[in-house]
Amino acid sequence: STVKTYEGEAMQEKGSSSLIVFTEAVGMEKVETPAGIFDQCIKFKWEIMPDKGPAIVRYIWLAPGVGPVKLILDDIEFKLTSYSISKRK
């Protein structure tokens, strides 16, 4: 798998601090949501490493032609409930 690293600045009320975000495609999965079943979703892992405090891990599943269909933030799971695809002119 390919690991991409991004660096940026996190703005806070009293200044800013550095953080590093590691993004990794960790696999392909079928995802079931209230909006339907999506085959061959790419599961991404985001590991956010602030210069102060513990690392934060997030997961997101992207479905071809749809985009994000599932997201895990801390212990909270979000799933797509509905979507529509507009026709291009």
Side-chain angles (χ1 to χ4, degrees):
S1 65
T2 301
V3 177
K4 294 185 178 181
T5 304
Y6 301 92
E7 291 189 42
E9 294 292 320
M11 299 306 293
Q12 299 174 348
E13 281 185 31
K14 297 180 181 178
S16 65
S17 62
S18 296
L19 59 87
I20 298 173
V21 179
F22 295 100
T23 304
E24 179 181 6
V26 293
M28 302 283 284
E29 295 181 5
K30 177 164 82 171
V31 176
E32 295 185 28
T33 74
I37 298 172
F38 300 92
D39 293 317
Q40 298 194 354
C41 294
I42 302 172
K43 179 181 178 181
F44 286 95
K45 176 183 177 182
W46 293 336
E47 190 169 1
I48 304 160
M49 310 276 295
D51 62 353
K52 298 175 185 171
I56 302 164
V57 177
R58 303 284 191 252
Y59 292 94
I60 187 169
W61 288 256
L62 302 177
V66 177
V69 295
K70 182 178 172 182
L71 177 66
I72 295 180
L73 304 174
D74 299 321
D75 294 332
I76 303 170
E77 182 177 278
F78 297 90
K79 290 185 176 181
L80 185 66
T81 57
S82 66
Y83 72 101
S84 64
I85 298 174
S86 45
K87 296 181 180 180
R88 295 181 187 209
K89 293 181 181 182

